Amino acid sequence: MAKFDFSENIKHLNAAMSSGVKDVPFIAQMHEFAMRESGIPGDVFYTDAKKFVRGTLEITERFEFDTPSFIWDVYNVEAQALGCGFVTFKDMAPAIENVSPLVSCEADIAKLKAPDPYSSGRMPMVLEIMHEMKVQANMIPTPGFCAPFTLASHLMTFENLIVQMQENPKFVHKLMDFLVDEVLSPFMNTLVKEFPDIVTVEGSDAVASLPFITQDMLEEFALQPLERMQKQVARPVFCDNWWGDSYAPDLPEFWAQKRRATPTYLKVQDPDLFKLGVQPVINYARKNNLPVVLGVDNNVFQSGPEEEIRMRIHEYMEAIEEVGKGALYLCSLSAVTPAENVRIAIEACKDFRAGKRPWAGQRRAGTPEARGETGKKASSNTLTTKPEAVTASPGSLEESMLDDIFDAVLDADDVDTTALVKEALEKDISVHTILNEGLIAAMDEIGDDFADGTIFVPEMLMSARAMKAGLEVVRPVLTDTGEPAKGTVMLATVQGDVHDIGKNLVGMMLEGAGYEVIDLGVNKKPEEILERANEINPDVIGLSALLTTSMPSMQKTVNLFRKVNSKYPVIVGGAPVTKEFAEVIKADGYGENAPLAVEAVHNLIAKSGVR
């Protein structure tokens, strides 16, 4: 007989997601939290199925979660099985190491070998986890998988994937087809064969969220591969974790895309939910007779304060009650989420269900304050003070050429940008004028468009590549003139994270703005970053994280710099990172996006007196 019994709570959750129930249930992503609280080191927790399941069940019972969540580090399993490097840690989830990508060109696809679910990487561990779920808790397992888009980004790197989507989409489609036909569908069908009572299989695809990609890209390169998979797998295939709702230029269409990936409910989570407000979700769900899953920000659980945790939970549970069907989602409880805050969150859920509702009827989500609107629009200019340059005379050849360079960068045409910059130098146009009024001015415009939501990361990335192509032409000239860099900035993606898109964008824009950039790469340990800083002596250090699971490593890195009284100012940024998180970990600055990160660097260097 199974020791752990959550059968009644599971029935309650299933009823809440179908016909509706009186008491709103809550679910949680909690594998890292369970790892820490169980005292099992990460390199064991994520490789030993029995300990993974046992630890998760014990923490679920100890903290009185409604139901256990057996979502493991789903982003890593298939990539590891295909041959990507795999790194484990004592105190956090594992990570894929893709410094040397498996796929760079179409010929590399032919070299990929379809993995065997019974022997490749940790695929056998997934089978064992599902077996242990039945043995230890008599639960029907729900297998998870890394969705095709995110898996492709592991194999190629995100930046190269975006470039190839623009320049060689047939190549990307060929890779997606291979991943669906030879990797994901066979893996899921094997699990269904071994566990016939499986109801659904569920994918994770956070990298395919807005504004990392556009809605059109999501349709072609994320949703369509999932729909291909839906036709091949013997159970319904769901994928519910695309976020970025607050960036969607067409929100109803974005939610329609979500419904094609997950037809039976709508999931919206923070920070998008807090920005949008609950009413649009309520209206859409009622109109389409859909249950909702509303997610509370992991940064709230990490940073608090207590009242914010309670108010946010109560507001979202009240909205779920108004819809009539659904569940609350506690997002990404991590290895550094304080246990006390988790207890507060669970107590808040129980208080609401018991009728203790001091904030009944209050709506804070969707307000200007929630959207970060203070009445003053933040500048996205990369420089608050630009070096003096010769201003082109209106209607002159010089003005015309600068306009052409400006337009070539905006059009993301690196070939034209290179040719035009060379021509401008041949016409004896000042290198500083080309740099400031052509290249940097164009990226300022791109930064403004990104801040306004007019463009997304792919457009900014492609324009930054064009700007960098022009920069490579002017760099030798600047060197010959003896023009010193405005400062040195060292960049790194923190340990446990192999994503580099944000870091690379910041690096390109910093170079364009006249800084020397030292890029350490991805998955860098705190000690390694400190050691390299002492060697390089940078004016500013920039840390990047894309995954919520790697935010603890960002905090550890900043803590290490503080512990040794380091002189180097540290700024942080990345998709899950907020200004509040930056303040909590005592970073010296925060960049919400690449242009604002560059501005933060400039202001720190100006403050320090470095030229």
Side-chain angles (χ1 to χ4, degrees), residues 483-496:
E483 181 72 19
K486 297 178 179 65
T488 300
V489 184
M490 190 179 83
L491 302 177
T493 300
V494 297
Q495 186 177 32

Side-chain angles (χ1 to χ4, degrees), residues 304-319:
E306 177 178 345
E307 185 176 64
E308 179 63 34
I309 295 172
R310 293 182 181 276
M311 292 176 70
R312 190 84 60 102
I313 286 173
H314 279 220
E315 181 174 349
Y316 291 178
M317 292 184 85
E318 189 173 76

Side-chain angles (χ1 to χ4, degrees), residues 482-529:
E483 181 72 19
K486 297 178 179 65
T488 300
V489 184
M490 190 179 83
L491 302 177
T493 300
V494 297
Q495 186 177 32
D497 203 326
V498 299
H499 298 91
D500 58 5
I501 178 59
K503 171 179 64 62
N504 291 353
L505 274 171
V506 171
M508 284 189 280
M509 296 185 75
L510 279 168
E511 287 183 331
Y515 295 97
E516 180 183 4
V517 175
I518 308 295
D519 188 344
L520 302 189
V522 301
N523 191 27
K524 295 302 176 183
K525 297 178 182 179
E527 297 79 9
E528 184 179 359
I529 295 171

Side-chain angles (χ1 to χ4, degrees), residues 29-81:
Q29 179 180 329
M30 54 174 287
H31 59 88
E32 264 204 345
F33 181 77
M35 175 208 70
R36 186 195 72 197
E37 290 299 311
S38 67
I40 303 172
D43 55 350
V44 176
F45 188 79
Y46 291 102
T47 56
D48 186 320
K50 289 184 179 180
K51 290 183 178 179
F52 175 87
V53 173
R54 180 77 177 202
T56 300
L57 288 167
E58 287 178 347
I59 299 310
T60 301
E61 189 174 74
R62 185 193 306 172
F63 281 80
E64 299 184 339
F65 287 90
D66 278 353
T67 54
S69 168
F70 293 102
I71 297 298
W72 48 89
D73 58 311
V74 290
Y75 288 116
N76 302 323
V77 172
E78 294 87 356
Q80 180 196 11

Side-chain angles (χ1 to χ4, degrees), residues 89-112:
F89 309 100
K90 295 287 186 183
D91 54 357
M92 59 191 295
I96 291 298
E97 178 64 85
N98 66 351
V99 173
S100 300
L102 283 183
V103 177
S104 299
C105 61
E106 193 164 339
D108 291 335
I109 300 176
K111 300 176 186 176
L112 295 175

Side-chain angles (χ1 to χ4, degrees), residues 128-140:
E128 191 176 353
I129 285 175
M130 296 174 67
H131 171 74
E132 289 297 321
M133 288 169 61
K134 298 197 74 173
V135 170
Q136 297 190 39
N138 195 30
M139 288 181 62
I140 298 174

